Amino acid sequence: SQILKLFPRTEFEQLVKKTQSERHARGVTSWEQFVSMMFCQLGRAHSLREISNGLKTCEGKLAHLGVEALSKSSLAYANAHRPWELYQQLFFALLARCKADAQPRKKKFRFKNKPLSLDSTTITLCLALLPWAKFRKAKGGVKAHVLLDHDDYLPSYVLITEARCSDVKMAGAFVLNPGSIVALDRGYNDYA
């Protein structure tokens, strides 16, 4: 309930009308699908059956959210036929609201130019499921290169590449404003 307060119902309904996501509803509203998928994320559910059964155990508590426990087939149909643009616009609306609500923090050090951090991390993937992500003989993965903005601590740019891709080669792909201050680790140093 507390997390869903971040998503005002009136704003959500406006986005539903804008994206016409109720066009193929078949009894499942966009709000019910959203709450179910939020439950999936927060409960770390890995299948539709797990989501459906988890919602059924909480049925009494779901009534005040305006949601009924969805069956596995209804949720599958909604996931297959709902436009993804609804959730993209919902994310950007939440991001704009968070940036507007962010209080300017008092900083010990002030920089004339914008400070940014550049780093990458390798995300391990299962080779049996994703053979395209081969990294080493028995390892799979991708590399996420992230440019972090220190004003709001949100990534301003994320680039996902093959895990074997060098950090130095990817550093040139980021678009930086002139005069930006970039803090980076030794993976991006190239003295050649």
Side-chain angles (χ1 to χ4, degrees), residues 17-30:
K17 286 180 184 175
K18 184 178 177 183
T19 59
Q20 298 179 351
S21 67
E22 295 284 318
R23 197 171 44 178
H24 300 292
R26 288 212 180 165
V28 178
T29 65
S30 296

Side-chain angles (χ1 to χ4, degrees), residues 10-25 29-31 33 81-93:
T10 54
E11 181 181 291
F12 187 86
E13 293 301 329
Q14 288 173 350
L15 291 174
V16 166
K17 286 180 184 175
K18 184 178 177 183
T19 59
Q20 298 179 351
S21 67
E22 295 284 318
R23 197 171 44 178
H24 300 292
T29 65
S30 296
W31 181 253
Q33 182 195 17
H81 293 88
R82 281 276 148 72
W84 55 269
E85 291 89 0
L86 168 66
Y87 300 106
Q88 179 188 37
Q89 291 184 18
L90 184 64
F91 168 76
F92 284 122

Side-chain angles (χ1 to χ4, degrees), residues 87-192:
Y87 300 106
Q88 179 188 37
Q89 291 184 18
L90 184 64
F91 168 76
F92 284 122
L94 177 65
L95 180 63
R97 200 167 42 259
C98 288
K99 283 185 175 185
D101 291 346
Q103 298 293 328
R105 294 175 301 279
K106 209 172 192 183
K107 298 176 184 170
K108 279 187 173 182
F109 302 105
R110 292 188 183 170
F111 295 98
K112 181 179 175 185
N113 298 327
K114 187 177 199 125
L116 304 165
S117 292
L118 180 59
D119 200 8
S120 68
T121 185
T122 303
I123 302 167
T124 306
L125 299 174
C126 177
L127 268 180
L129 295 174
L130 306 164
W132 55 265
K134 189 166 184 165
F135 176 38
R136 295 193 178 122
K137 278 186 180 179
K139 260 189 165 179
V142 293
K143 193 175 274 190
H145 305 270
V146 180
L147 188 65
L148 183 70
D149 185 356
H150 286 272
D151 289 342
D152 51 14
Y153 294 108
L154 291 172
S156 56
Y157 194 80
V158 176
L159 181 65
I160 297 177
T161 62
E162 294 178 353
R164 66 175 69 106
C165 196
S166 167
D167 292 347
V168 175
K169 290 179 183 173
M170 298 293 44
F174 290 101
V175 179
L176 299 172
N177 292 330
S180 296
I181 300 170
V182 180
L184 42 93
D185 64 3
R186 64 188 174 99
Y188 290 94
N189 291 338
D190 185 10
Y191 298 110

Side-chain angles (χ1 to χ4, degrees), residues 10-74:
T10 54
E11 181 181 291
F12 187 86
E13 293 301 329
Q14 288 173 350
L15 291 174
V16 166
K17 286 180 184 175
K18 184 178 177 183
T19 59
Q20 298 179 351
S21 67
E22 295 284 318
R23 197 171 44 178
H24 300 292
R26 288 212 180 165
V28 178
T29 65
S30 296
W31 181 253
E32 287 175 324
Q33 182 195 17
F34 175 67
V35 171
S36 299
M37 297 315 289
M38 184 70 76
F39 177 84
C40 165
Q41 288 295 316
L42 297 175
R44 294 186 180 184
H46 298 291
S47 68
L48 292 175
R49 178 174 282 125
E50 211 174 330
I51 297 167
S52 179
N53 291 341
L55 288 170
K56 285 176 186 172
T57 62
C58 303
E59 193 137 24
K61 296 176 183 177
L62 293 176
H64 72 280
L65 298 176
V67 176
E68 292 180 14
L70 300 177
S71 68
K72 186 176 67 164
S73 59
S74 297

